[in-house]
Amino acid sequence: MTYRAVLFDFSGTVFRLEQDETWLADLTDHEGENLDLEAQTELMRRMTAPVGQVVDLDEEHLYAWHNRDRDPVLHRKVYLEVLKRSGVPHADQAVALYTRLIDPTQWTPYPDTEAVLKGVAGKGVKVGVLSNIAFDIRPAFSRRGWDAFVDEFVLSFEVGAVKPEPEIFRTAIERLGVDPAETLMVGDSEEADGAARAVGCAFALVEPLPTTERPDALLGALRTHNVL
C-alpha cells in the first residue's frame, strides 16, 4: 500500500507530558502533607489519560468531562475538579499545575519525532496532527521549527468533534486532500485513534511510554507500513 498522508496523534504519540518533580514538589493534601511519589505519578496519569473517566464526578462535572476536548472552559473546569478529587484540595496549587499542563512548550517530544516528521514530509507524504485537545499545541512544533513539516493541525476544540467520532477523521482527510485508503493514522489509543479504521484509514498503535523508554517506536511503525 502506498500512503499519501499520515495522521499523528499528539499526546503519548509524538509528544508526552513528562512528570516534572518541580511542578509537584509543593503540592499538599488536605492535611498539608506533601504528596508522595506514588500519588504524584497517579496524578499525572489521571491528567493525561486519553480515554476513560479517571475519578467519580457529579452530573455537572461529568458533562464537562465528556465535552472537555471540545471546549477550553469545560476542560479547565473538569480538570481542576479532577485535581481536587485526586488529592490537590488547594485551588491555587491546582490552578498553577493546570497552567503548566496546558502549556505546549512544557511537553517533551519522543526521540524519533523530529526524524519521523522530516522523513515523512521529505518523501512528499502529507502530514497531519490530529488531537483530542482543548489548547493550541502548535507552539510545541513551531518553537522547534517542526511546523514546517506539518500540513494540517486538526484539533478537537477547533473543529467541534473528538476521536473516536468519524467526523474528526473525515475533517483531517478532507483538509489533506487524500482518500481514507491512502491515509495512515498513528496513535497510542486503540479506542480513540484506532477508530480511524471505521472511515477507511489504516492504523498503527504505539505505546505511550516515557520518552526515555521509547526511542524509535514511531520510526518502527512507519517502516512496518512502508512509509519510511
Side-chain angles (χ1 to χ4, degrees):
M1 179 65 201
T2 299
Y3 293 105
R4 293 181 56 216
V6 179
L7 296 171
F8 294 98
D9 171 50
F10 177 68
S11 175
T13 301
V14 291
F15 280 76
R16 189 175 189 271
L17 186 63
E18 304 277 32
Q19 185 167 328
D20 187 324
E21 293 180 359
T22 65
W23 298 358
L24 306 172
D26 297 328
L27 296 183
T28 55
D29 61 19
H30 291 276
E31 284 72 41
E33 298 293 331
N34 290 333
L35 300 183
D36 60 27
L37 181 59
E38 182 178 353
Q40 292 179 12
T41 301
E42 175 60 17
L43 187 64
M44 294 299 288
R45 185 196 69 80
R46 293 182 181 187
M47 296 302 289
T48 57
V51 295
Q53 186 179 332
V54 294
V55 297
D56 291 330
L57 297 167
D58 59 30
E59 185 175 347
E60 177 184 354
H61 288 95
L62 189 60
Y63 173 83
W65 176 262
H66 289 312
N67 292 278
R68 67 194 185 281
D69 289 326
R70 303 178 197 269
D71 185 339
V73 174
L74 294 179
H75 189 275
R76 184 179 191 275
K77 176 179 181 176
V78 75
Y79 273 110
L80 290 179
E81 181 69 11
V82 168
L83 287 169
K84 178 180 177 181
R85 291 174 179 260
S86 300
V88 186
H90 305 290
D92 57 334
Q93 295 180 7
V95 169
L97 178 56
Y98 177 79
T99 300
R100 292 187 176 106
L101 297 175
I102 64 168
D103 180 354
T105 66
Q106 300 292 330
W107 289 61
T108 303
Y110 279 92
D112 56 348
T113 294
E114 181 176 14
V116 161
L117 294 176
K118 288 182 176 179
V120 174
K123 285 186 170 290
V125 176
K126 294 187 176 182
V127 174
V129 175
L130 174 58
S131 179
N132 283 356
I133 203 89
F135 56 93
D136 188 2
I137 57 176
R138 293 176 182 86
F141 295 81
S142 61
R143 71 192 298 257
R144 297 173 171 86
W146 297 352
D147 55 322
F149 309 114
V150 179
D151 296 285
E152 291 288 343
F153 287 90
V154 180
L155 312 181
S156 60
F157 81 100
E158 293 180 340
V159 302
V162 298
K163 298 175 288 185
E165 296 169 358
E167 290 80 8
I168 194 167
F169 297 107
R170 293 193 183 109
T171 295
I173 293 164
E174 289 170 3
R175 288 186 180 180
L176 291 173
V178 296
D179 291 331
E182 301 172 318
T183 305
L184 173 66
M185 176 76 209
V186 182
D188 69 311
S189 171
E190 180 71 40
E191 179 181 343
D193 303 310
R197 296 189 188 101
V199 301
C201 301
F203 172 62
L205 180 69
V206 292
E207 296 296 328
L209 299 171
T211 56
T212 56
E213 298 175 20
R214 212 196 75 189
D216 57 4
L218 292 170
L219 285 167
L222 294 182
R223 287 167 180 162
T224 298
H225 285 81
N226 297 315
V227 178
L228 294 179

